[in-house]
Amino acid sequence: MSIDYKAEIIRLKEKLPVTLVAHYYQRDEVFEMADITGDSLELARRCKADDNPWVVFCGVGFMGQSVKVIAPEKRVLMPKIACCAMARMIDGSYFDDSVNYMVERGIAKENILPITYINSDATVKAKVGEMGGMVCTSSNAYKIIEKGLESGKKILFVPDRCLGQNFAHSMGLKSCVIGEGECDPQEADIICFNGFCSVHQLFTVDDIEFYRNRYPGIKIAVHPECDPAVVQAADFVGSTSQLIKYVNDLDPEQKVAIGTEYNLVNRMRQGNTYVLSSTKPECPTMNETTLEDLYRTLKSIEDDQPINEIFVDEHTVKYANLALERMLAIK
Ligand code: 13P
Ligand code: SF4
């Protein structure tokens, strides 16, 4: 007999002290089951404030891990522990290499303030926390960098070179990317690690021109993980929640092309909304989680044999938490 996953998930949610969390990029059928949805910052804040002892997080690894770091007493399970491809681009030793790159070019370690995008492993966040640095997300990067600059130190921004360059540009600051041309930390305010999101690299200035030629007056809205040339040519740039608000506030007749992950764009208001790419911009890891995975994870709690639980060692929790809490303290 086949299992009705949706009905079983609803039954298990009612029975168990569990909060089901999903990022906007999740498949529709998974997303619809969630108690909490939002962009990375909202998910972190709301999970911390939530009372249930169990969290089942549908997203990518760093998201579930961040909940475990800010609320270590919670039991966090992920139906798929799928790793964000950008977060995989940096580990502790690449982080140390980036710090050394700056030190070798005359910036003392105590004069470096690291900021890591939340799309990074907890071990990288811990290194950042140990050096007095902070985490940021796509929705608060401006404020976090502004706060970081108050220290008078050079900012090392990891792992997303696009986010680092885009916010530096919007703040009138100089940035460079380690390993890309001449990157002199003496000359730049923000020194970026060379990581990127392959999904958001799909959007190009040619795509923007295509839509503007085809539909004069169309608005272009993109995520800050897009290439700087794309961000600078767009009408609006924002996190996933900010993109949703921007599109919802438009006149229903206003055409808009959106540069972010397909599941979210497809869920936004139908009609007059376009995907800013000829290639379907799907995040493979976000798409790994299925309704069946979600059911099996909830069932494992009912059976008292939890699967795919997130564990973070004490040292990492301590320092990664410092970096996350410094971010959460900034309103
Ligand atoms: P948001 O914080 O804007 O939801 O972004 C998360 C992400 O992974 C974008 O690719
Ligand atoms: Fe990571 Fe890009 Fe997927 Fe976001 S869209 S989770 S940055 S790979």
Side-chain angles (χ1 to χ4, degrees):
M1 200 182 70
S2 69
I3 302 169
D4 180 344
Y5 295 128
K6 202 171 162 179
E8 271 295 285
I9 290 167
I10 293 167
R11 177 187 73 76
L12 289 161
K13 275 206 323 170
E14 274 167 15
K15 177 176 175 192
L16 301 167
V18 61
T19 298
L20 217 160
V21 184
H23 186 264
Y24 292 123
Y25 293 168
Q26 290 291 296
R27 293 161 181 258
D28 287 354
E29 63 273 24
V30 171
F31 185 79
E32 280 158 16
M33 293 288 115
D35 304 302
I36 295 180
T37 61
D39 67 14
S40 305
L41 181 62
E42 291 162 341
L43 294 181
R45 282 199 197 283
R46 291 184 61 194
C47 286
K48 186 176 156 75
D50 186 71
D51 286 336
N52 271 328
W54 291 88
V55 172
V56 170
F57 203 119
C58 304
V60 282
F62 75 83
M63 295 178 167
Q65 219 188 24
S66 296
V67 176
K68 187 69 188 170
V69 168
I70 50 181
E73 69 290 353
K74 286 188 189 290
R75 307 278 304 266
V76 183
L77 308 187
M78 297 193 74
K80 275 275 164 64
I81 309 181
C83 191
C84 158
M86 181 205 287
R88 277 184 99 107
M89 289 180 180
I90 189 165
D91 61 9
S93 72
Y94 280 123
F95 177 82
D96 292 343
D97 290 349
S98 306
V99 172
N100 290 338
Y101 177 91
M102 293 176 70
V103 171
E104 281 160 13
R105 283 155 185 81
I107 313 288
K109 192 172 174 185
E110 53 276 18
N111 290 330
I112 300 172
L113 185 91
I115 295 179
T116 181
Y117 189 29
I118 197 164
N119 297 36
S120 55
D121 190 75
T123 51
V124 172
K125 292 186 178 82
K127 290 212 171 243
V128 167
E130 265 187 288
M131 281 180 68
M134 294 174 276
V135 173
C136 77
T137 75
S138 56
S139 64
N140 66 10
Y142 194 103
K143 278 191 201 162
I144 301 288
I145 293 172
E146 211 171 36
K147 181 79 189 162
L149 290 169
E150 283 173 16
S151 67
K153 298 181 182 185
K154 291 279 181 186
I155 291 182
L156 168 62
F157 193 93
V158 304
D160 188 4
R161 63 164 187 242
C162 294
L163 216 88
Q165 288 175 288
N166 285 329
F167 282 96
H169 183 265
S170 69
M171 299 171 89
L173 300 169
K174 266 191 172 175
S175 64
C176 68
V177 179
I178 299 172
E180 229 180 47
E182 280 295 303
C183 180
D184 182 357
Q186 301 282 357
E187 294 292 317
D189 307 295
I190 302 186
I191 293 83
C192 305
F193 184 79
N194 203 353
F196 58 89
C197 165
S198 47
V199 180
H200 287 86
Q201 297 310 294
L202 286 175
F203 309 110
T204 64
V205 174
D206 283 350
D207 294 324
I208 296 180
E209 278 167 12
F210 168 82
Y211 274 107
R212 286 200 171 131
N213 286 334
R214 187 161 192 170
Y215 304 115
I218 192 169
K219 297 285 186 200
I220 308 292
V222 301
H223 195 276
E225 287 174 13
C226 291
D227 189 83
V230 170
V231 166
Q232 283 162 44
D235 297 294
F236 179 80
V237 55
S239 74
T240 49
S241 286
Q242 291 164 348
L243 287 169
I244 292 169
K245 182 172 181 337
Y246 174 78
V247 173
N248 286 346
D249 288 349
L250 289 174
D251 184 291
E253 295 306 310
Q254 172 65 52
K255 293 188 189 304
V256 58
I258 304 163
T260 196
E261 210 275 341
Y262 181 79
N263 287 335
L264 171 57
V265 180
N266 191 42
R267 206 179 293 126
M268 285 194 200
R269 87 188 160 135
Q270 302 291 315
N272 290 325
T273 304
Y274 303 87
V275 180
L276 182 66
S277 170
S278 50
T279 319
K280 204 174 177 186
E282 281 183 311
C283 174
T285 43
M286 281 283 188
N287 274 277
E288 277 186 33
T289 307
T290 64
L291 217 48
E292 180 177 348
D293 297 326
L294 178 51
Y295 158 71
R296 292 197 188 290
T297 309
L298 289 167
K299 186 80 177 79
S300 78
I301 302 176
E302 183 182 48
D303 295 345
D304 212 12
Q305 288 188 320
I307 56 169
N308 287 359
E309 182 159 4
I310 303 295
F311 296 103
V312 184
D313 69 80
E314 238 175 82
H315 176 271
T316 305
V317 166
K318 179 175 169 193
Y319 290 103
N321 192 35
L322 277 179
L324 276 158
E325 286 295 343
R326 286 183 190 122
M327 168 183 83
L328 293 173
I330 296 171
K331 297 287 173 226

